[in-house]
Amino acid sequence: MSTIKYRTCHLCEAMCGLAIEVENNEVISIKGHKEDIYSKGHICPKGIALKDLHNDPNRLKQPVRRTEDGWKTISWDEAYDTVEKELKRIRKKYGNEAIGTYTGNPTVHNTGTALTLYDTINAINTKNRFASHSLDSVPVFLVNQMMFGHAMMAPIPDIEHLDYFLIIGANPMASNGSFMSTPNIRGKIKAIQEKGGKVVVIDPRKTETAKKASEHYFIQPETDILFLLTLINELVQRNGIRNSKSLRISDGLEQLKTMVIGFEKEITAPITGITAEQIHQIIDDLIHHDHPVIYGRLGVNTQSYGTICQWLITTLNILLGQMDEKGGLLFTLPAIDYVTLMAHESKMFRYGSRVGDYQEIIGEYPTSTLADEILTPGAGQIRGFISIAGNPARSAPNSQRVEKALADLEFMVAVDMYINETTQYADIILPPAVGLETMHYSFVLHMVATRNTTKFSPAPLSISKEQRYDWQIMGELQRRLFDGGFLGRMKSNFLSRLHPKTKLDLALKTGPYGIWGGRFLKKGGLSLKRLENEKGGIELDEMKPVLPKRLFTKNKRIQLMPELFVKEMEKVKALLVPTNTTQHPFKLIGRRHLRSNNSWMHNLPVLEGGSRKCTAMIHPDDAKHYHIADGEWIEVYSDVGQIQIMAEITDEIIQGTISIPHGWGHRGKDVQMDQAQKDPGVNVNELMDHFRLDPLSYNMAFNGHPISIRKLG
Ligand SMILES: Nc1nc2c(c(=O)[nH]1)N[C@H]1C(S)=C(S)[C@@H](COP(=O)(O)OP(=O)(O)OC[C@H]3O[C@@H](n4cnc5c(=O)[nH]c(N)nc54)[C@H](O)[C@@H]3O)O[C@H]1N2
Ligand SMILES: Nc1nc2c(c(=O)[nH]1)N[C@H]1C(S)=C(S)[C@@H](COP(=O)(O)OP(=O)(O)OC[C@H]3O[C@@H](n4cnc5c(=O)[nH]c(N)nc54)[C@H](O)[C@@H]3O)O[C@H]1N2
Ligand code: SF4
Ligand SMILES: [Mo]
């Protein structure tokens, strides 16, 4: 007899509820859970693919060791003993900094890992920590820290109540949104339009989102900074600044007005490609709508001015009176108040990395410098490495150099269920139970959601005797690799043995809605037990304004003009006179597909097809100039590498720009991903210069990278 089990999908930020038909510990089917209070039955092809992830024959369930005769399955004891022996040997010989760690994107999505990760990494006691954050989000952290006093204080678009949505450099129809956790973006965009509102997209490509938008404007890559400064300049000139609470509690307005002088629409239009008339129209709309919201993501974060763009977007929302307002942008108050819990961790710029002197941000150095730290000899050189749920051999820039570095290590352990392009370099792989084998609570994503809701899912499937949960693996590493004094060890060991459900229960009970929490004992407050009975989740308080109370800045005011950003602006004026700094005539941008998830879901045949194609999109006029036909193979090259890839001719991309998705190139001597290797695609990160960073956050500037193309003979 089959039963229906309910679990939140953990794959992207949307947190869709799934209804999973299970029989004899096997998945029969996966559908959207109609009674889920948040997603109401919405699901995408990746959610359905969780069945295939569970059944993937390449998925590891026991540790493996790399030997001269290939991968050998070993016992957990042997695996842990080897990891402990080798990493302790390295630590003893070279010191603590000789151990490096990298934590990838799924560490945010996998509850067991998220709950144990920082305790484990802290126990290892090394400054050489890296994470996917510096390929993605550090500009957002930095702006939140400087303006609101806390890296995780992220204002989230109130997508259900806004009436004008200006989306700059994000494609939520494919990605389902980021720093905007909400299911069914398509439905929400439609709803804005049906209520008479407008959705406008600014993107060098006519994306899936742009096609559904009311208007789309093509922009030249990496010119958003000028576009945004022009918007502020125009808003000032047309008296569009609204007197609002958030503005009244902000410092720096007059200085800001002076800063934007000179960024006139007639001057920036030829550079950005967005005409003076179009700017005029956008300003008209911003002025005449009640709740205009501006939102930007990877397109503006992973470029040379990632931090400044994020700052200007946040500032514009304040000038428009939408910050901390219903219908504008709001701050969440989730059941587990991660922002308050993490307040003491929200620190940056305390120390610099050894080779590049890049300053840490929340305890991490930029991933772009990981290979330098492994390959550059001297005290502090990384010799032992722990990779947790990451694939830097595909996700990091200059990835061929990352591979060279991984091959150069004395010892590497990976916590991952696949032998992929990164983990192939590991000596030992420790595979956790994943997906439907694990319970789920999205405590990180509730922090960036568009509504305050809460939901717990027990694991729909059980695991076999040979398998281990992620939190068990992390706990074992934490105990075996702990470095520090006696009391610290006792505390760390105690924490490492806590079941994640105990941790969740405690956090829920003491949280803002908990039975022990808040300022008073709330009758019927939250506990894990209560949540376990609410399969579709619970709607919590409506999102409400929380400022200035929840500000973490010293003077309890929003900082419009952080000194660090203002200083950088001195260089920005020079952008008004474009100079040719590169020989390469094209700019490279990325793209995401609905049926893909960074680098790691290409082994599931069910996700093949649709729009998912690893091609180089090129404008027809550019193709004509180079005599390139549709479907023909071309070479794309930069100062650091070259790849050969199929051209896809389309007028959906701005002239002079090429779009190539990341996370492909499933090749490698020891890789074991049968399906992915059949249609490997090519790895765009071989083209990326790892020194091309946002100067303030050291986030990688993937977008706008200079490249050339040539027709293959
Ligand atoms: N050119 C270019 N490069 C980019 C980007 C881009 O837009 N363009 N985007 C960047 C962004 S936004 C990000 S976030 C990074 C992602 O960078 P990474 O996090 O380094 O890479 P992923 O492809 O997400 O790889 C995830 C790894 O985790 C494993 N995994 C999946 N689920 C689990 C789990 O539950 N437990 C464990 N232990 N392992 C698991 C997978 O097998 C895989 O090895 O890539 C960045 N790289
Ligand atoms: N299906 C799927 N969903 C995902 C992921 C995935 O790989 N697949 N990855 C997840 C992750 S880790 C993240 S961080 C989020 C990212 O979520 P999004 O930010 O929505 O992701 P992208 O699709 O990369 O959107 C970036 C857009 O910026 C545009 N762009 C590039 N350069 C510029 C520029 O200079 N200016 C402007 N204005 N636009 C530019 C690109 O054309 C692209 O449309 O998605 C998450 N969700
Ligand atoms: S949209 Fe995201 S959360 Fe929803 S089913 Fe798809 S991958 Fe899962
Ligand atoms: Mo990301």
Side-chain angles (χ1 to χ4, degrees):
M1 256 273 286
S2 69
T3 49
I4 303 290
K5 310 233 176 168
Y6 300 96
R7 188 182 184 280
T8 303
C9 175
H10 65 286
L11 293 169
C12 83
E13 293 190 24
M15 302 190 274
C16 298
L18 308 176
I20 303 153
E21 191 183 353
V22 176
E23 191 171 333
N24 296 329
N25 210 38
E26 288 294 331
V27 180
I28 310 289
S29 70
I30 300 182
K31 297 197 173 86
H33 180 198
K34 292 204 177 68
E35 270 87 59
D36 186 286
I37 44 125
Y38 205 34
S39 60
K40 302 199 162 71
H42 179 261
I43 189 170
C44 89
K46 292 188 294 302
I48 296 166
L50 281 172
K51 173 180 175 185
D52 306 78
L53 175 65
H54 180 68
N55 296 328
D56 189 342
N58 284 135
R59 181 165 72 96
L60 300 175
K61 295 186 178 163
Q62 281 171 270
V64 290
R65 175 199 276 275
R66 188 152 47 84
T67 73
E68 282 183 1
D69 309 317
W71 294 97
K72 291 263 151 43
T73 301
I74 56 171
S75 72
W76 286 95
D77 282 343
E78 184 185 340
Y80 290 135
D81 288 346
T82 313
V83 172
E84 181 178 355
K85 189 176 113 230
E86 287 299 318
L87 290 179
K88 281 188 170 164
R89 177 187 65 76
I90 287 171
R91 185 191 272 162
K92 193 159 173 229
K93 189 165 168 197
Y94 308 106
N96 278 27
E97 311 312 332
I99 300 179
T101 61
Y102 175 82
T103 55
N105 169 277
T107 59
V108 171
H109 298 261
N110 177 321
T111 308
T113 312
L115 281 169
T116 44
L117 186 70
Y118 289 103
D119 284 342
T120 305
I121 306 251
N122 286 341
I124 295 163
N125 193 14
T126 172
K127 287 200 177 76
N128 272 320
R129 303 173 175 197
F130 303 82
S132 53
H133 300 144
S134 49
L135 307 173
D136 164 355
S137 306
V138 281
V140 183
F141 297 163
L142 181 53
V143 168
N144 294 341
Q145 177 83 18
M146 293 294 164
M147 296 186 77
F148 307 117
H150 192 311
M152 305 297 158
M153 271 292 282
I156 310 300
D158 187 2
I159 193 166
E160 290 175 49
H161 302 108
L162 54 81
D163 60 3
Y164 179 84
F165 202 21
L166 184 61
I167 302 175
I168 312 176
N171 185 14
M173 289 280 289
S175 68
N176 226 292
S178 181
F179 282 95
M180 183 174 67
S181 290
T182 201
N184 191 8
I185 291 280
R186 178 194 290 260
K188 280 169 187 152
I189 286 181
K190 208 167 149 209
I192 297 169
Q193 292 164 329
E194 280 172 0
K195 282 186 290 188
K198 229 171 165 180
V199 178
V200 177
V201 171
I202 308 286
D203 199 298
R205 182 167 78 84
K206 187 165 184 131
T207 61
E208 293 75 2
T209 311
K211 285 180 195 164
K212 294 287 168 196
S214 324
E215 281 153 25
H216 163 237
Y217 301 115
F218 285 105
I219 188 167
Q220 289 293 344
E222 285 199 318
T223 62
D224 305 80
I225 182 169
L226 295 180
F227 169 65
L228 290 162
L229 286 161
T230 308
L231 287 188
I232 301 182
N233 176 308
E234 275 285 301
L235 206 64
V236 174
Q237 290 192 38
R238 291 179 58 187
N239 277 328
I241 297 180
R242 302 183 195 186
N243 187 359
S244 65
K245 181 199 67 191
S246 61
L247 195 60
R248 287 192 294 277
I249 56 168
S250 295
D251 288 335
L253 178 62
E254 291 312 312
Q255 200 188 347
L256 173 75
K257 284 183 184 167
T258 315
M259 185 185 85
V260 296
I261 292 172
F263 294 96
E264 304 293 335
K265 56 184 185 305
E266 292 74 17
I267 301 175
T268 60
I271 310 171
T272 62
I274 303 194
T275 64
E277 295 72 40
Q278 288 165 345
I279 294 271
H280 193 88
Q281 174 65 49
I282 293 170
I283 294 288
D284 265 356
D285 280 332
L286 291 176
I287 290 177
H288 294 122
H289 280 87
D290 291 336
H291 291 296
V293 166
I294 304 175
Y295 165 78
R297 193 52 185 109
L298 273 215
V300 285
N301 288 154
T302 57
Q303 58 153 288
S304 300
Y305 306 101
T307 300
I308 300 276
C309 285
Q310 185 65 27
W311 168 45
L312 297 173
I313 288 174
T314 311
T315 300
L316 263 164
N317 284 315
I318 296 173
L319 299 182
L320 291 165
Q322 301 309 314
M323 186 59 69
D324 197 39
E325 296 285 344
K326 190 166 168 149
L329 296 106
L330 289 162
F331 297 90
T332 53
L333 186 61
I336 297 178
D337 183 7
Y338 196 65
V339 168
T340 305
L341 291 175
M342 295 294 285
H344 61 288
E345 302 274 355
S346 188
K347 300 211 171 88
M348 31 191 84
F349 304 119
R350 288 164 294 178
Y351 45 85
S353 62
R354 177 181 65 111
V355 179
D357 194 27
Y358 298 112
Q359 296 296 301
E360 60 83 32
I361 293 197
I362 49 171
E364 285 155 4
Y365 295 137
T367 294
S368 299
T369 196
L370 169 63
D372 295 334
E373 292 293 343
I374 299 174
L375 291 170
T376 313
Q381 180 184 9
I382 297 175
R383 299 282 71 214
F385 189 57
I386 308 175
S387 175
I388 303 169
N391 193 2
R394 288 300 169 269
S395 55
N398 202 342
S399 50
Q400 60 277 38
R401 194 153 178 280
V402 174
E403 289 201 51
K404 189 173 163 220
L406 296 177
D408 187 63
L409 291 161
E410 284 183 27
F411 182 79
M412 170 172 164
V413 54
V415 182
D416 206 295
M417 69 291 188
Y418 280 126
I419 306 177
N420 66 14
E421 302 81 15
T422 293
T423 61
Q424 64 168 328
Y425 292 100
D427 297 277
I428 302 273
I429 304 177
L430 305 170
V434 292
L436 303 178
E437 293 167 337
T438 62
M439 51 133 217
H440 191 70
Y441 184 90
S442 305
F443 73 96
V444 183
L445 300 180
H446 283 304
M447 185 174 60
V448 291
T450 62
R451 271 206 255 156
N452 290 321
T453 63
T454 183
K455 192 173 27 160
F456 172 77
S457 332
L461 304 174
S462 58
I463 60 172
S464 62
K465 252 193 356 272
E466 296 75 37
Q467 288 179 274
R468 296 290 179 274
Y469 292 108
D470 39 5
W471 58 271
Q472 292 176 308
I473 298 171
M474 302 296 281
E476 193 73 32
L477 294 177
Q478 186 173 334
R479 288 186 292 276
R480 288 180 181 248
L481 298 173
F482 181 85
D483 177 70
F486 176 75
L487 283 179
R489 176 186 296 276
M490 299 299 282
K491 186 179 160 202
S492 178
N493 284 1
F494 171 75
L495 287 174
S496 78
R497 290 187 194 280
L498 280 186
H499 194 284
K501 278 173 88 168
T502 312
K503 288 188 184 175
L504 281 177
D505 190 37
L506 272 170
L508 285 168
K509 282 176 175 162
T510 53
Y513 311 86
I515 50 170
W516 306 336
R519 291 141 297 279
F520 53 91
L521 197 75
K522 276 190 192 161
K523 217 173 148 205
L526 290 181
S527 66
L528 193 64
K529 200 162 158 218
R530 164 130 191 243
L531 268 194
E532 274 185 283
N533 295 325
E534 305 271 0
K535 308 251 179 287
I538 300 179
E539 185 94 47
L540 301 170
D541 281 1
E542 208 186 322
M543 305 252 288
K544 286 189 204 101
V546 294
L547 301 186
K549 213 167 153 208
R550 215 163 144 80
L551 280 175
F552 290 79
T553 46
K554 278 203 188 94
N555 65 355
K556 283 270 176 193
R557 290 177 65 79
I558 301 172
Q559 298 308 309
L560 285 185
M561 299 293 282
E563 215 181 293
L564 182 74
F565 305 167
V566 174
K567 246 176 106 188
E568 188 63 23
M569 277 298 297
E570 287 163 17
K571 298 184 201 147
V572 173
K573 278 249 151 100
L575 297 176
L576 289 172
V577 191
T579 45
N580 215 356
T581 52
T582 161
Q583 307 284 344
H584 297 287
F586 285 90
K587 287 178 173 180
L588 178 60
I589 61 168
R591 72 176 184 273
R592 281 174 158 73
H593 299 123
L594 183 67
R595 291 171 164 271
S596 184
N597 195 11
N598 293 326
S599 73
W600 70 274
M601 291 188 79
H602 295 155
N603 213 44
L604 311 176
V606 66
L607 288 178
E608 274 168 24
S611 63
R612 197 183 96 177
K613 275 186 278 184
C614 184
T615 55
M617 287 184 168
I618 178 169
H619 188 275
D621 293 347
D622 290 331
K624 201 168 151 203
H625 182 83
Y626 285 83
H627 308 289
I628 294 166
D630 191 45
E632 207 175 336
W633 285 74
I634 59 171
E635 186 160 87
V636 181
Y637 60 99
S638 71
D639 287 347
V640 301
Q642 70 276 327
I643 57 174
Q644 297 191 347
I645 185 167
M646 190 189 281
E648 179 183 344
I649 300 177
T650 168
D651 60 6
E652 290 179 355
I653 187 150
I654 192 169
Q655 216 183 329
T657 294
I658 306 278
S659 160
I660 302 178
H662 73 287
W664 291 87
H666 302 297
R667 294 192 172 84
K669 192 164 75 48
D670 296 319
V671 173
Q672 291 189 3
M673 308 227 0
D674 300 338
Q675 197 61 32
Q677 284 168 288
K678 277 187 207 156
D679 177 20
V682 286
N683 172 16
V684 70
N685 280 330
E686 288 190 18
L687 298 173
M688 302 285 180
D689 181 349
H690 67 289
F691 291 114
R692 200 171 184 277
L693 305 180
D694 165 21
L696 298 178
S697 67
Y698 316 120
N699 201 45
M700 176 56 198
F702 292 114
N703 287 312
H705 198 294
I707 48 158
S708 297
I709 61 171
R710 94 169 54 95
K711 187 182 160 81
L712 285 171

